[in-house]
Amino acid sequence: MNIIEIIAKKRDKKELLKEEIAYFIEGYTKGEITDYQAAALVMAIYLNGMSDEEITNLTLSMAHSGEMLDLSIFGKNVVDKHSTGGVGDKVTLILAPIIASFGIPVAKMSGRGLGFTGGTIDKLESIPGYCTNISIEEFMENVKKIGISLIGQTLNLAPADKKIYALRDTIACTDSIPLIASSIMSKKIAAGACNIVLDVTCGNGAFMQTEEEAKKLAEMMNRIGKLAGKETVCVITNMEEPLGYAVGNNLEVIEAVQFLKGDMPEDVKEVVLELGAYMIKLAGLGEDIEKNKQTMLEKIKTGESYRKFVELIENQGGDTTYLENTQKFEKANYILEVTATQEGYVSKLPARDIGELSGKLGAGRIKKEDPIDETVGIVLRKKKGDFVKKGEVLAYIHASEEEKAKQAVKELQTIYQIQESKIEKDKTILNVVM
């Protein structure tokens, strides 16, 4: 067996054996297979596709290419949640403590933001003192002790995926559904959960631009999950405009805290309840999705979910007085109003444009090593379907520099599209693939 034969086989549209895929993944991870050979195989996969069995074998090989997290000590009701990315997505901050308040173990590793999408770890680190970089032993102990821990990816999970992901970006092979599906699922399997709920975002601010593309990806990940012995549910959600109102690190934490205290933006509420209801179902604590949603709302109403969030933050060194009084969070140097230049209904608020503008202000990063400003970002006041009068506040820009703030105000006024005729709000939950 050698890599040239494997490349030729996939070039000729033949199905690769499990052993051939494993040979490639091991060789590429160790550096025995070159980037140009890997690029040739990835391009052949991109052009000719893969069968479900091939994709599953690729996923499992990538998952086993590095360290594997074993969560079996917590039983079989561990459910992991993953989002394919978006703008204003603070769902993990809200959903994780809600799920933990049901007694379902939450042992989650999250990533940092890159490009126009935000990262859960950056948001958590905007809470003074909260430590995301702890040992796996402490991580597991935290889950045993209080039922929840959220940390950065300290383990070397799926290193083959990291290499292939970076390679795909340089050879115009990013939008291959088999490669996207295996990339996501390899990390989830390596992270140790028995059951997986995936938030597959689609639209302007997502990787999948259309519902049709998102459905194809969801169906493929669902099939991989089944073949890998992991019960998987994919919820397709709308990312045409930002989720919620806050975009930016501590701004999103504030919105998450307010949500857990009962102030729930409708679109965030729909996503949180839908994903959470299926997590509860997969954990074996309730088959009725609508009933699960009602129980989640009860947990919020009684304060159990908020108290679990406080417990999580306190347990990992965070200053919980910032949760009790969110006014304590450091504010940006400049907070400027963005006002409407005409009367009418907001017809479009492209999520990607908002994410990119927030990134320019310093809330995001282009390269992984770039620093971020935890205080900057955008707080929206009007979203699609809302009526606005001329001169009314559309949003607030939070910036560190006056010139940046003024420029962002002008940009955001052009990003907002307003029309005379009434327009309906978009659906938030588009589909569920099981």
Side-chain angles (χ1 to χ4, degrees):
M1 192 185 301
N2 67 64
I3 188 60
I4 295 169
E5 290 172 355
I6 294 169
I7 294 167
K9 193 172 179 183
K10 183 43 70 177
R11 177 200 67 198
D12 296 338
K13 302 183 180 179
K14 293 176 183 172
E15 193 165 325
L16 298 181
L17 300 173
K18 180 181 179 180
E19 294 75 18
E20 290 169 326
I21 291 170
Y23 174 86
F24 161 63
I25 292 298
E26 186 179 352
Y28 189 46
T29 306
K30 290 180 177 177
E32 294 162 359
I33 290 170
T34 65
D35 275 343
Y36 61 80
Q37 288 170 321
L41 183 56
V42 168
M43 182 62 78
I45 290 168
Y46 179 88
L47 294 172
N48 298 324
M50 295 182 108
S51 68
D52 285 358
E53 192 174 344
E54 280 181 297
I55 297 164
T56 304
N57 288 330
L58 176 62
T59 302
L60 293 173
S61 287
M62 290 198 298
H64 286 87
S65 65
E67 296 173 273
M68 299 280 288
L69 187 59
D70 183 6
L71 300 177
S72 60
I73 59 165
F74 302 120
K76 293 188 176 180
N77 69 336
V78 179
V79 186
D80 198 359
K81 169 261 170 194
H82 175 78
S83 168
T84 56
V87 179
D89 183 354
K90 66 281 298 174
V91 171
T92 294
L93 300 177
I94 298 165
L95 186 53
I98 295 174
I99 293 301
S101 70
F102 279 83
I104 300 166
V106 176
K108 183 159 177 57
M109 291 184 180
S110 292
R112 297 190 180 279
L114 196 61
F116 65 88
T117 61
T120 299
I121 292 305
D122 296 321
K123 293 164 195 175
L124 282 167
E125 286 180 347
S126 73
I127 302 169
Y130 187 87
C131 185
T132 62
N133 184 24
I134 60 176
S135 70
I136 290 302
E137 291 72 29
E138 193 178 345
F139 173 61
M140 301 289 269
E141 195 53 46
N142 286 347
V143 180
K144 276 187 203 172
K145 180 181 165 188
I146 65 165
I148 183 171
S149 187
L150 301 179
I151 64 169
Q153 293 179 359
T154 52
L155 281 180
N156 185 24
L157 298 178
D161 171 61
K162 289 186 185 78
K163 286 191 78 172
I164 292 169
Y165 189 93
L167 184 72
R168 280 165 50 207
D169 205 31
T170 64
I171 61 170
C173 287
T174 53
D175 57 343
S176 160
I177 285 179
L179 293 171
I180 296 166
S182 58
S183 172
I184 292 167
M185 292 299 285
S186 67
K187 291 191 282 281
K188 290 296 102 187
I189 290 167
C194 309
N195 312 291
I196 304 164
V197 173
L198 294 157
D199 177 4
V200 184
T201 55
C202 75
N204 176 272
F207 198 74
M208 297 285 111
Q209 292 289 291
T210 67
E211 187 181 343
E212 187 183 1
E213 286 176 333
K215 191 167 182 244
K216 281 180 188 171
L217 176 61
E219 286 169 346
M220 187 164 285
M221 291 193 293
N222 198 268
R223 293 196 297 269
I224 293 170
K226 282 179 181 157
L227 289 167
K230 307 280 183 185
E231 196 166 352
T232 307
V233 173
C234 298
V235 178
I236 300 173
T237 63
N238 194 333
M239 192 50 75
E240 276 296 324
E241 64 178 359
L243 190 65
Y245 291 93
V247 180
N249 295 286
N250 72 16
L251 300 173
E252 290 188 46
V253 171
I254 292 166
E255 188 168 66
V257 171
Q258 289 168 342
F259 186 106
L260 290 167
K261 288 180 177 179
D263 182 7
M264 298 177 272
E266 193 56 37
D267 57 347
V268 183
K269 179 181 170 184
E270 285 182 41
V271 173
V272 166
L273 292 181
E274 194 77 20
L275 295 172
Y278 281 101
M279 290 178 81
I280 293 164
K281 181 181 179 181
L282 294 192
L285 296 184
E287 287 292 316
D288 188 323
I289 295 302
E290 292 308 312
K291 192 174 177 182
N292 291 349
K293 290 179 185 178
Q294 289 307 312
T295 317
M296 289 170 72
L297 289 171
E298 276 299 311
K299 294 279 186 186
I300 294 165
K301 189 177 177 182
T302 61
E304 284 180 73
S305 299
Y306 170 69
R307 288 194 294 274
K308 184 55 72 173
F309 188 58
V310 171
E311 195 176 7
L312 161 70
I313 301 307
E314 185 174 43
N315 193 54
Q316 284 181 225
D319 185 343
T320 58
T321 63
Y322 283 75
L323 310 183
E324 291 153 20
N325 177 17
T326 55
Q327 290 298 314
K328 284 189 70 175
F329 277 99
E330 187 183 350
K331 293 175 177 59
N333 296 333
Y334 297 90
I335 302 173
L336 302 188
E337 291 181 350
V338 180
T339 55
T341 55
Q342 67 184 89
E343 184 173 289
Y345 294 87
V346 177
S347 60
K348 210 168 182 186
L349 187 61
R352 181 182 291 259
D353 293 351
I354 299 291
E356 287 175 349
L357 181 56
S358 180
K360 283 183 198 173
L361 290 166
R365 53 172 70 82
I366 304 301
K367 302 189 295 295
K368 285 184 180 178
E369 59 273 16
D370 290 346
I372 60 164
D373 186 334
E374 294 166 346
T375 67
V376 302
I378 300 164
V379 177
L380 307 168
R381 280 288 172 262
K382 299 291 183 178
K383 295 181 73 177
K384 187 173 178 180
D386 290 339
F387 178 76
V388 293
K389 294 176 182 176
K390 187 176 179 180
E392 193 174 357
V393 175
L394 295 170
Y396 292 93
I397 296 292
H398 293 242
S400 57
E401 299 168 28
E402 189 176 12
E403 200 47 50
K404 272 189 180 180
K406 288 178 178 176
Q407 183 57 37
V409 168
K410 290 177 187 173
E411 283 192 46
L412 192 50
Q413 279 177 325
T414 63
I415 288 169
Y416 265 96
Q417 294 181 31
I418 297 170
Q419 66 181 42
E420 287 182 15
S421 55
K422 192 171 183 180
I423 187 165
E424 295 300 317
K425 289 183 180 289
D426 291 333
K427 281 175 64 181
T428 305
I429 307 298
L430 303 177
N431 208 332
V432 178
V433 177
M434 297 173 66

